[in-house]
Amino acid sequence: MKKISIVIPAYNEEGNLSIIHGEIKKVFLNLPDYDYEIIYVNDGSRDATQKTLEEISSNCPKLKYLEFSRNFGHQNAVKAGMDYADGNAVISMDADMQHPPTMIPDMIKKWEEGYDVVYTIRKYSKNISFFKRKTSDFFYHILSSLSDVELEKGSSDFRLLDASVIDVIRKTGETDIFLRGLVKWVGFKQYSIDFVAADRFSGSSKYSLGKMIKFAFTGITAFSMKPLYLAAYLGFFFSFLSLLYIPYVIYAFINKTEISGWASILMTVVFFGGIQLIILGILGIYMGKIFKQIKERPNYIIRSKNF
């Protein structure tokens, strides 16, 4: 009998755990040929998430949990679940019911057809705001343009990975993990399924605009050197542009024309100063990633677990 591991990161999700746990159990009642386990990763929650997991696990041997010593982030929580999963395939999904458990049979079916990776493409319902749609599309456009992996608009962390793919991901020693890009990068035989994201059952979204921007930078710098090349190109471009100013300076010197316009000079200095800071920032991001990598600190610390 094949075994499916369900990995669910949870950060302040006490109101959702019982619901999603019950829905997953219903799904596998209709899949009698498969054994399963549900691994919840408590990512340093401040509410009663851990207490709820302990209560559910006391009545359900299929439930396993990992409790982090603090909040290490969504991607590290998913990676931890993958590290401890022992199924023939691993499905990662969120705890807020936006990733519908009813899609699990479809994902398993495609896996049985020979696909190593079955990932999902999120389609927004009509009640999602225009701003949310456009910022999401912009996020994936920038990510695909500046990184060396191409992500479809709406790619999510709701996916099924064969055990062979999980083994490859486990061996990666990256500190800033970007699983959407990493899954694309490893290759294998992949298949996508569209789904309409449901509303959160309880609680609020943990991804603010600031976190999304940080997430984008993590993805871009994890899989591409393009920002560094862009910084170099900007340097060459503005250096060439400054050469065009030389004839005017010579003309003004010969004709003893007074060079006025302190405002324009100030704006020029500020502009080029901004460009330099951007370039230094890009270099700083890459240097920071190297700094974190060479220290070889663990991506997460487990405070407790029940298996």
Side-chain angles (χ1 to χ4, degrees), residues 228-245:
L228 291 175
Y229 286 105
L230 178 62
Y233 293 150
L234 282 173
F236 281 118
F237 173 75
F238 285 109
S239 294
F240 174 76
L241 201 64
S242 65
L243 295 177
L244 301 179
Y245 194 66

Side-chain angles (χ1 to χ4, degrees), residues 56-72:
I56 299 175
S57 64
S58 63
N59 298 313
C60 181
K62 300 287 187 184
L63 186 151
K64 300 177 180 179
Y65 65 76
L66 301 169
E67 181 190 9
F68 281 176
S69 61
R70 63 170 178 82
N71 179 257
F72 283 92

Side-chain angles (χ1 to χ4, degrees), residues 120-125 128 133 153-154 193-198:
T120 59
I121 303 296
R122 175 173 179 160
K123 303 297 182 181
Y124 288 105
S125 57
I128 299 298
R133 293 171 185 267
K153 290 181 180 179
I193 300 177
D194 293 345
F195 79 101
V196 177

Side-chain angles (χ1 to χ4, degrees), residues 107-120:
M107 300 171 80
I108 293 176
K109 181 181 178 181
K110 288 300 177 182
W111 172 57
E112 291 287 14
E113 290 177 5
Y115 291 98
D116 303 298
V117 177
V118 183
Y119 63 97
T120 59

Side-chain angles (χ1 to χ4, degrees), residues 197-222:
D199 295 331
R200 284 183 63 91
F201 180 81
S202 175
S204 58
S205 174
K206 310 304 185 297
Y207 267 97
S208 62
L209 181 59
K211 287 186 177 180
M212 286 298 293
I213 293 173
K214 182 180 179 181
F215 191 56
F217 273 114
T218 299
I220 292 168
T221 55

